[in-house]
Amino acid sequence: MTPFKIEVLQRQIDALHRRIDDTIWPAASWQSVDDWAYGAPEAYVRELVDYWRNGFDWCQAQARLNAFPQFLTNIDGLATHYMHLRSPHEGALPLLLVHGWPGSIVEFLEVIPRLTEPEKFGGSPEDACHVVCPSLPGYAYSATVQASGMSPRRIAESHKKLMQSLGYEKFIAQGGDWGAICCRFLADIAPENLIGLHLNLTLPIPPSGLEDPESYLTKAEKEFMADWPDRNWEISGYSHLQGTKPQTAAYGLSDSPVALAAWIAEKFHSWTDNRGDLRDAISWDDLLTNISLYWFTGSIGSAIRLYKEAVIATTIGAPLTSRCAVPTGMARYPAEVWLQPRSWAELEYDIIHWFEAPQGGHFAAMEQPEIFAGDLC
């Protein structure tokens, strides 16, 4: 396990600036800065990348990231990048924190100190955790296989090995987005290693094996699910592309920083609990730290491949058990776009804790670190 520091050279920063300066913008755009109906509006993207070019300080962001102990280790022949912060408190519980797309370890920068030393934030030392936060395979500085096969189940197997290599035979796993799906697989392949599971996303699909899934739903849940196909159509175009032809998209997203920023910013705008501007939920500095990590590592292509790998795994048959036997905590944030009705969730999981957050969305830890950490602890 090798200590690791992020080191982006000035020439890489200069190259980013040149690419932004040389952007070929669309020939015509009539959208206003707050009209996202057709995607990320040009006026908003121009303002965002102008700040990326002239206001955002990557060196400061890099120092912030490097303030957290980071390491590289070899798991199944692949370099795995992760943060590992041990709490000073004896008896702290080991906690695996798993991010998703288009997020990264940046999602947890404000949360981790609240988990390792909760007493500094009004909590109790008895709730402290040792935190392990890996970059998913193909994300940031974590390598991925140069062939098909890096599915969520395989990632879960990798995470089990990572925790064991650090001496954590028993631990809690927490995830949202892909992190939630990988942690759900972890509950299947290593239930004996999990003290508990904590999720802030569950897909709005019924547990397997139900003869009449709708009969389990309340009236309000039936109304929610009746609208789901239309809502899913509106938000999931990216998923169809990344789940079918990710390599085609990878060329433009890897070559153009403006394309990358627009692609990711649109998801943050659509999925956060904001009042029309994603800065209501997440600062541009945090957003651009996350986008810059994708850019400087050239990892957007390998990251979005996970969608295709998940589709392949589903096609060939890699099912979850019909019920998760690991004690589970569910956190629901009001602006989360993927919500499984509670009636179905209670059939699929051994739920011992249910939390309804007053605010927050898909990127819960990033949007509401105080609420997120308070619920998790």
Side-chain angles (χ1 to χ4, degrees), residues 132-183:
V132 179
C133 183
S135 294
L136 289 170
Y139 288 66
Y141 297 96
S142 284
T144 191
V145 292
Q146 298 300 306
S148 182
M150 188 53 76
S151 66
R153 185 183 186 92
R154 182 168 174 182
I155 293 172
E157 293 169 348
S158 174
H159 286 164
K160 174 188 174 182
K161 293 175 182 178
L162 172 62
M163 295 300 283
Q164 290 178 319
S165 73
L166 295 172
Y168 301 133
E169 287 295 331
K170 298 281 189 178
F171 57 92
I172 303 167
Q174 197 288 326
D177 196 84
W178 282 117
I181 296 171
C182 293
C183 287

Side-chain angles (χ1 to χ4, degrees), residues 26-231:
S29 178
W30 45 262
Q31 292 169 270
S32 66
V33 70
D34 57 355
D35 177 11
W36 292 76
Y38 286 76
E42 183 176 328
Y44 192 95
V45 175
R46 281 183 179 271
E47 186 180 357
L48 174 64
V49 298
D50 178 72
Y51 181 72
W52 195 11
R53 168 67 173 86
N54 298 303
F56 175 70
D57 187 342
W58 167 254
C59 293
Q60 186 178 47
Q62 179 175 273
R64 183 186 175 206
L65 285 162
N66 283 335
F68 292 80
Q70 298 172 64
F71 303 87
L72 289 178
T73 192
N74 188 299
I75 304 290
D76 295 334
L78 296 172
T80 298
H81 170 244
Y82 64 98
M83 298 189 296
H84 181 202
L85 293 92
R86 287 189 61 84
S87 171
H89 300 297
E90 185 177 351
L93 289 175
L95 170 66
L96 173 70
L97 279 179
V98 189
H99 68 82
W101 186 89
S104 67
I105 58 171
V106 175
E107 292 183 56
F108 301 113
L109 297 185
E110 289 296 321
V111 162
I112 291 173
R114 297 175 181 273
L115 298 173
T116 56
E117 298 181 273
E119 73 281 0
K120 292 185 176 180
F121 300 89
S124 169
E126 296 177 354
D127 296 325
C129 298
H130 304 306
V131 177
V132 179
C133 183
S135 294
L136 289 170
Y139 288 66
Y141 297 96
S142 284
T144 191
V145 292
Q146 298 300 306
S148 182
M150 188 53 76
S151 66
R153 185 183 186 92
R154 182 168 174 182
I155 293 172
E157 293 169 348
S158 174
H159 286 164
K160 174 188 174 182
K161 293 175 182 178
L162 172 62
M163 295 300 283
Q164 290 178 319
S165 73
L166 295 172
Y168 301 133
E169 287 295 331
K170 298 281 189 178
F171 57 92
I172 303 167
Q174 197 288 326
D177 196 84
W178 282 117
I181 296 171
C182 293
C183 287
R184 175 65 179 85
F185 273 102
L186 189 59
D188 271 9
I189 67 174
E192 69 282 359
N193 298 105
L194 286 183
I195 301 168
L197 190 64
H198 185 276
L199 307 175
N200 56 283
L201 176 144
T202 48
L203 295 176
I205 55 177
S208 61
L210 298 183
E211 189 170 322
D212 183 11
E214 286 201 8
S215 67
Y216 294 87
L217 301 181
T218 66
K219 180 181 179 182
E221 289 171 339
K222 288 179 180 178
E223 291 173 353
F224 173 84
M225 289 306 299
D227 294 338
W228 172 246
D230 290 337
R231 285 183 281 119

